Amino acid sequence: QAIDALLNAAQLFALLNKWKESALAYKRIVDLYKKDRDKALFGLGTAYIELKEYSKAIEIFSRILNEYGDSNV
C-alpha cells in the first residue's frame, strides 16, 4: 500500500538524517491517511526537533497527547 511505502520512506530518510525529507513524508501520511497517523505524528515531531523547529514539534507532540493519550507510540 501507498501508506506503507510512505512510512518506510519517512523512516529511511530519518535513518539517513535527511530530516526535511522525513518530515515531508510523515506530514503527507498525516494529511492523507488515518492508519498509522499516531506513528506518523510522532515521527513528524521528532523530525521537527532535529530540524530545530521546536514550536512545530511542541504543537505536534501536544496533538499526540490530545488525540492519542492512550496510544503506545
Side-chain angles (χ1 to χ4, degrees), residues 1-10 23-42 44 63 67-68:
Q1 286 186 340
I3 185 173
D4 295 327
L6 275 173
L7 193 56
N8 288 337
L24 290 172
Y26 281 126
K27 179 140 180 31
R28 186 162 184 157
I29 294 167
V30 170
D31 290 344
L32 297 178
Y33 302 98
K34 289 187 178 188
K35 179 185 174 197
D36 293 328
R37 187 176 284 165
D38 55 347
K39 294 175 188 168
L41 282 167
F42 187 84
L44 181 58
R63 180 174 171 185
E67 295 180 20
Y68 304 98

Side-chain angles (χ1 to χ4, degrees):
Q1 286 186 340
I3 185 173
D4 295 327
L6 275 173
L7 193 56
N8 288 337
Q11 292 168 340
L12 180 60
F13 285 133
L15 287 172
L16 296 172
N17 291 321
K18 295 186 176 222
W19 294 107
K20 184 175 180 180
E21 294 86 348
S22 180
L24 290 172
Y26 281 126
K27 179 140 180 31
R28 186 162 184 157
I29 294 167
V30 170
D31 290 344
L32 297 178
Y33 302 98
K34 289 187 178 188
K35 179 185 174 197
D36 293 328
R37 187 176 284 165
D38 55 347
K39 294 175 188 168
L41 282 167
F42 187 84
L44 181 58
T46 302
Y48 284 148
I49 288 172
E50 294 294 333
L51 292 167
K52 298 182 179 10
E53 295 184 28
Y54 301 117
S55 61
K56 288 182 180 180
I58 290 169
E59 181 181 323
I60 293 298
F61 287 118
S62 295
R63 180 174 171 185
I64 292 170
L65 287 173
N66 287 333
E67 295 180 20
Y68 304 98
D70 296 330
S71 178
N72 289 327
V73 175

